[in-house]
Amino acid sequence: MPIQTTEERQAIREAVRSLCKDFPDVYWRAIDKEEKYPAEFVAALTKSGYLAALIPEEYGGAGLGITDASIILEEINHSGGNSGACHAQMYTMGTLLRHGSEEQKRRLLPAIARGELRLQTFAITEPNAGSETTRIETRAVRQGDRYIVNGQKIFISRVKQSDLMLLLARTTPYDDLKDKTRGLSAFIVDMRNLKGKLEIQPLDLMVNHHTTTMFFDDVEIPADSLLGEEGMGFRYIIDGWNAERILISGEAIGDGHWFVERASKYACDRVVFGRPIGANQGIQFPIAQAYARIEAADLMRFHAAAKFDRKEKCGAEANMAKLLSSEAAWEAANVCLNTFGGYGFARDYDVERKFRETRLFTTAPVSNNLVLAFIGQNVLGMPKSY
Ligand SMILES: Cc1cc2nc3c(=O)[nH]c(=O)nc-3n(C[C@H](O)[C@H](O)[C@H](O)COP(=O)(O)OP(=O)(O)OC[C@H]3O[C@@H](n4cnc5c(N)ncnc54)[C@H](O)[C@@H]3O)c2cc1C
């Protein structure tokens, strides 16, 4: 994977910005209000090749690195859009690239790059496990040339907008294991024409994320859906966490800039007591403070991403980037809402929509408490809470 020059990165930014111009505020506002999926936007991003950023060129993708992919997601969010509609393909790509067989990659990746196969779902979270992934209970039992899957997943996004699902399921009972990080397996499941009963129930959430509960009742998946070695799935998923954290960081930075720009402009335009509200330090300083924090978080994002692209260890930096950027974006969201006063609550200004969307980054796909636990325990060597 060649590292892009500064000029090439700027060109990526401008191309994504230009694409996003066709999907202005009114588009995203209507999608959110009607709880629809931004299919037209995802189709345009796929056609542009940017959604396949992380797919190597030999499999029909753009062959870009994590820095570039995070810039693409940043620009979508900076434009007022929501990359949550399609980021899963990038989040999960590393697992497929590192642990998929050559046959799986040749079969799936070119079709994903062309947009003929949608990889928008990763199914890990379960009601009885929560953040403790090694406790998941959904079972996949091998029977000849297939696995039979039974169990339940919760908070799984875009199942109905995806053809493929990265599934984590238990292949060895928890109590039979000495090493509790073993016994889980990763599968790349084609959800079209599945045998057995897969029930999908929508969850009513504060964000338009197409998130569902999944019930697997004797669902049959072909044995060649297994990624890598049976029982090693948890390790494979962990391998993808640094990339995921850097990508979220890019999305949060994009939101942060959107809030600061909207707040600054409104603070200049809105006149109360005979002067622009931005002349008051109570309005101006929080915006300046939020901007400084976003810029600082952005440095950590690029530091983590550069290490990742150089194939260096970057767990500490990736986690810090996710923590700092999600907090900075959330601070900017609150500052923006304060700046807009009552208008911040009106859907037509888009602040309340972005406010809800950006709040998610501190909780999903991983809660900041777990990120702090990683830093406290794995970087600073303090005692474990789990
Ligand atoms: C909109 C949305 C979309 C999602 N999409 C997906 C998806 O596509 N696929 C998927 O697999 N999952 C998805 N999730 C699930 C998400 O990853 C989880 O909600 C998240 O990881 C937290 O798990 P939990 O909700 O079970 O919280 P819990 O694990 O129940 O934790 C609750 C709180 O306790 C804290 N906590 C727990 N243990 C500790 C500890 N040892 N130390 C300190 N604090 C602790 C947590 O940090 C959290 O704040 C989605 C969630 C949402 C809201």
Side-chain angles (χ1 to χ4, degrees):
M1 185 265 311
I3 306 278
Q4 304 289 300
T5 61
T6 312
E7 291 73 29
E8 284 167 331
R9 291 216 163 115
Q10 192 53 31
I12 294 174
R13 271 191 198 284
E14 275 156 26
V16 178
R17 262 179 219 167
S18 156
L19 183 150
C20 290
K21 280 206 179 104
D22 292 338
F23 301 92
D25 290 348
V26 283
Y27 173 79
W28 292 102
R29 199 181 304 149
I31 290 281
D32 180 67
K33 192 168 182 188
E34 292 158 31
E35 297 192 17
K36 287 194 351 205
Y37 183 70
E40 308 78 10
F41 170 75
V42 177
L45 194 68
T46 306
K47 195 162 164 240
S48 75
Y50 287 115
L51 193 55
L54 293 175
I55 299 180
E57 282 173 298
E58 57 179 308
Y59 300 107
L64 297 172
I66 212 74
T67 307
D68 312 306
S70 80
I71 287 173
I72 292 166
L73 298 183
E74 175 193 338
E75 286 299 333
I76 295 169
N77 280 32
H78 193 164
S79 80
N82 180 7
S83 359
C86 53
H87 58 195
Q89 195 213 97
M90 291 189 188
Y91 284 10
T92 53
M93 190 48 67
T95 308
L96 182 53
L97 288 179
R98 272 189 301 273
H99 307 292
S101 66
E102 196 50 38
E103 186 281 321
Q104 285 168 323
K105 288 193 265 190
R106 296 250 162 248
R107 178 160 45 89
L108 301 175
L109 292 176
I112 296 173
R114 288 193 299 270
E116 292 159 14
L117 272 180
R118 299 163 302 168
L119 170 55
Q120 291 301 351
T121 293
F122 57 105
I124 296 169
T125 307
E126 295 191 10
N128 294 333
S131 307
E132 192 178 359
T133 305
T134 53
R135 280 280 184 183
I136 65 166
E137 294 165 347
T138 295
R139 281 299 310 271
V141 177
R142 177 95 189 229
Q143 279 185 16
D145 62 353
R146 55 202 58 230
Y147 284 87
I148 311 295
V149 183
N150 280 286
Q152 183 187 346
K153 297 277 175 188
I154 193 163
F155 293 123
I156 310 306
S157 303
R158 298 164 303 272
V159 182
K160 293 205 162 160
Q161 289 77 29
S162 192
D163 303 304
L164 301 174
M165 160 176 64
L166 178 67
L167 170 73
L168 189 68
R170 176 164 298 290
T171 37
T172 308
Y174 186 85
D175 292 337
D176 295 356
L177 293 161
K178 243 188 177 162
D179 177 352
K180 304 298 185 192
T181 65
R182 297 285 174 105
L184 301 178
S185 299
F187 299 89
I188 186 86
V189 180
D190 191 335
M191 291 189 283
R192 301 164 302 169
N193 311 317
L194 274 179
K195 281 196 189 145
K197 194 169 161 214
L198 178 60
E199 200 182 315
I200 297 156
Q201 287 180 1
L203 282 166
D204 195 6
L205 302 183
M206 70 186 260
V207 279
N208 180 31
H209 226 74
H210 303 275
T211 304
T212 53
T213 304
M214 303 179 81
F215 298 91
F216 297 79
D217 187 0
D218 284 339
V219 172
E220 292 185 22
I221 56 174
D224 67 3
S225 316
L226 179 73
L227 283 177
E229 210 182 307
E230 190 181 286
M232 295 300 288
F234 182 63
R235 289 266 137 224
Y236 300 165
I237 299 290
I238 287 186
D239 283 353
W241 278 351
N242 288 339
E244 184 187 86
R245 296 196 186 359
I246 294 166
L247 292 168
I248 303 168
S249 181
E251 292 176 57
I253 297 286
D255 273 359
H257 283 303
W258 185 92
F259 285 119
V260 164
E261 284 165 18
R262 293 289 165 120
S264 314
K265 180 166 187 324
Y266 191 80
C268 292
D269 294 346
R270 173 77 171 157
V271 175
V272 183
F273 295 111
R275 61 180 178 188
I277 56 170
N280 302 305
Q281 292 173 349
I283 290 290
Q284 186 185 105
F285 287 5
I287 301 174
Q289 179 88 58
Y291 177 68
R293 293 214 168 110
I294 291 158
E295 287 287 282
D298 203 10
L299 292 177
M300 185 57 80
R301 182 270 294 251
F302 278 118
H303 181 44
K307 286 186 103 176
F308 186 99
D309 283 335
R310 290 196 302 264
K311 301 193 182 350
E312 293 169 18
K313 266 181 92 173
C314 64
E317 293 79 6
N319 277 280
M320 289 190 284
K322 191 274 181 187
L323 176 76
L324 297 174
S325 54
S326 61
E327 285 182 345
W330 179 230
E331 178 186 344
N334 278 287
V335 165
C336 188
L337 196 78
N338 284 338
T339 305
F340 273 71
Y343 296 93
F345 292 80
R347 279 185 190 267
D348 280 355
Y349 287 80
D350 300 294
V351 176
E352 63 82 35
R353 170 175 62 83
K354 294 288 273 183
F355 181 88
R356 286 183 279 112
E357 288 168 1
T358 229
R359 179 62 181 81
L360 187 60
F361 295 130
T362 60
T363 301
V366 60
S367 155
N368 275 359
N369 269 6
L370 272 292
V371 170
L372 286 167
F374 178 91
I375 298 168
Q377 296 159 24
N378 294 27
V379 182
L380 302 176
M382 288 186 273
K384 281 195 179 293
S385 66
Y386 52 81

